[in-house]
Amino acid sequence: MKFSISREALLRPLALVAGVVERRQTLPVLSNVLIQVDQEQVALTGTDLEVELVGRTVASEVEVPGAVTVPARKLMDICKSLPDQAELRFSLEEGRAVLRSGRSRFTLSTLPVAEFPSIEDSAGDTEISLPRGTLKQLIDATAFAMAQQDVRYYLNGILLELRTNLVRTVATDGHRLALCSRPAEIQLESTRKLIVPRKGVMELVRLLDDSEEPVTLTLSASHMRAHTGDFTFTSKLVDGKFPDYERVIPRGGDKVFIADRAELRQVLSRTSILSNEKYRGVRLHLQEGNLQVMANNPEQEEAEENVAVEYAGDSLEIGFNVGYLIDVLNAVGEDRIQMTLSDSNSSASMEEPGGGDALYVVMPMRL
């Protein structure tokens, strides 16, 4: 194998592919990136057996096609540290990868290409195409509510629900729920529900931008594959049943107020400074035209803030984990937020005034 490539042509795909590679690996070859060269194309592959990412780029010159696996992080750190517009020359010499640029020379260890695992290429039974921006916005609106390391493994990811003319993402960690739906020009015989694992969600969203360019999703029983331009991303799906999220959405709340989103977020952030560090609880006292936000902690410290709201109705006092409320306010794009409550023991729903693409449900806390 022998080829030349510009630093910039290699760095972007390498940075994305190296993001998939885990630092601590059970198999040594999993900390490597697979480089395959033929004609003009250079394909880089990284995997951790759950997700796989292939990035393609164009070489300046290919003298001898071939394939090799080299340590992903070391190669990326070398490329980052070389000057802009540098030309890199790769070759295989005596079983090692040699990288030359200007007066620099780096020799990297390699592992056999045959040992590099490939996520099995199961035949997809459904293929759909969406604008990249649509899928990115759906993930951005809901991903924060995914569980982190819950024993209910099916919560450690996002539910991607596909219906004719509709795409929906849902995430929950058992204490809060985020749901976002967008219309899309897709035709399906029946509703498809896939649980994409947390790491798959995080890596996929790095490939997406806000453009109308398409991302093609190929779905099978156990995998999802996404094609965007020069990248092919594959993720195993979580084998489990996602909870019936429709049952969690509160109905019939009669106390609805509207507040300025940025102002409410600042008030909650300031109040949270003196909340209990373990439980992060704040107390909301809703009255006509005003929302009082209070927090205290075991050191007997207290915070109290008031924010003007559009509300005319009975007063109500209710407690929440302040982090959950702030996460929702960060995810909503509108200037104002609408919150619907019924009583101090029932979940609250938050959305854009009048309802929008996204709906958020937060369970109350006893304080």
Side-chain angles (χ1 to χ4, degrees), residues 24-26 31 44 68-69 108 123 129 131 146 154 161 165 167 193 196 294 338 348 362:
R24 294 188 198 84
Q25 286 296 359
T26 46
S31 55
L44 307 166
V68 67
T69 81
L108 290 167
S129 191
M146 288 187 289
Y154 48 82
E161 189 174 309
N165 298 329
V167 186
K193 294 185 177 185
V196 185
M294 294 165 284
Q338 175 178 305
V362 183

Side-chain angles (χ1 to χ4, degrees), residues 1 4 18 56 60-61 88 104 112 116 132 163-164 186 193 258 264 268 290 299 334-336 365 367:
M1 184 182 85
S4 303
R56 295 172 195 84
S60 319
E61 181 187 9
L88 284 65
S104 311
F116 195 85
R132 291 181 202 171
R163 304 179 187 178
T164 296
I186 54 175
K193 294 185 177 185
I258 295 174
L264 181 58
L268 289 169
N290 184 64
E299 288 84 50
E334 290 294 308
D335 292 338
R336 304 194 311 155
M365 279 178 83
L367 291 174

Side-chain angles (χ1 to χ4, degrees), residues 135-321:
L135 187 55
K136 183 176 190 296
Q137 286 154 7
L138 284 165
I139 293 173
D140 287 344
T142 52
F144 69 87
M146 288 187 289
Q148 296 247 10
Q149 284 174 321
D150 202 295
V151 290
R152 297 165 293 180
Y153 58 91
Y154 48 82
L155 298 184
N156 301 321
I158 264 185
L159 174 71
L160 181 62
E161 189 174 309
L162 304 160
R163 304 179 187 178
T164 296
N165 298 329
L166 183 84
V167 186
R168 174 175 290 166
T169 52
V170 188
T172 179
D173 61 6
H175 302 287
R176 48 160 170 197
L177 179 135
L179 177 153
C180 189
S181 309
R182 297 293 293 271
E185 292 177 20
I186 54 175
Q187 298 295 321
L188 293 168
E189 288 177 14
S190 60
T191 300
R192 289 293 298 265
K193 294 185 177 185
L194 332 163
I195 306 175
V196 185
R198 184 183 185 85
K199 175 149 186 194
V201 172
M202 295 310 188
E203 294 302 329
L204 176 58
V205 83
R206 291 171 61 192
L207 297 179
L208 301 171
D209 50 39
D210 291 318
S211 70
E212 289 294 309
E213 291 290 309
V215 50
T216 305
L217 301 180
T218 308
L219 316 174
S220 72
S222 58
H223 291 82
M224 179 182 84
R225 183 157 284 165
H227 299 275
T228 68
D230 294 328
F231 293 92
T232 303
F233 167 82
T234 309
S235 174
K236 282 187 177 176
L237 298 173
V238 177
D239 182 16
K241 191 170 187 313
F242 202 80
D244 180 3
Y245 60 85
E246 296 278 4
R247 286 177 48 204
V248 179
I249 297 170
R251 314 276 181 204
D254 56 348
K255 298 174 179 62
V256 182
F257 72 85
I258 295 174
D260 181 278
R261 181 181 67 90
E263 188 183 1
L264 181 58
R265 186 177 61 191
Q266 288 166 0
V267 162
L268 289 169
S269 297
R270 288 196 297 265
T271 313
S272 71
I273 297 166
L274 297 185
S275 66
N276 184 316
E277 287 178 16
K278 187 176 179 188
Y279 301 111
R280 311 273 331 272
V282 294
R283 189 179 284 111
L284 306 187
H285 188 193
L286 179 62
Q287 300 155 301
E288 197 166 313
N290 184 64
L291 180 69
Q292 189 179 44
V293 184
M294 294 165 284
N296 57 19
N297 61 30
E299 288 84 50
Q300 307 294 312
E301 297 167 329
E302 294 179 356
E304 185 183 303
E305 293 251 6
N306 288 277
V307 57
V309 294
E310 293 175 27
Y311 176 70
D314 298 338
S315 62
L316 171 70
E317 200 163 287
I318 185 168
F320 289 105
N321 178 317

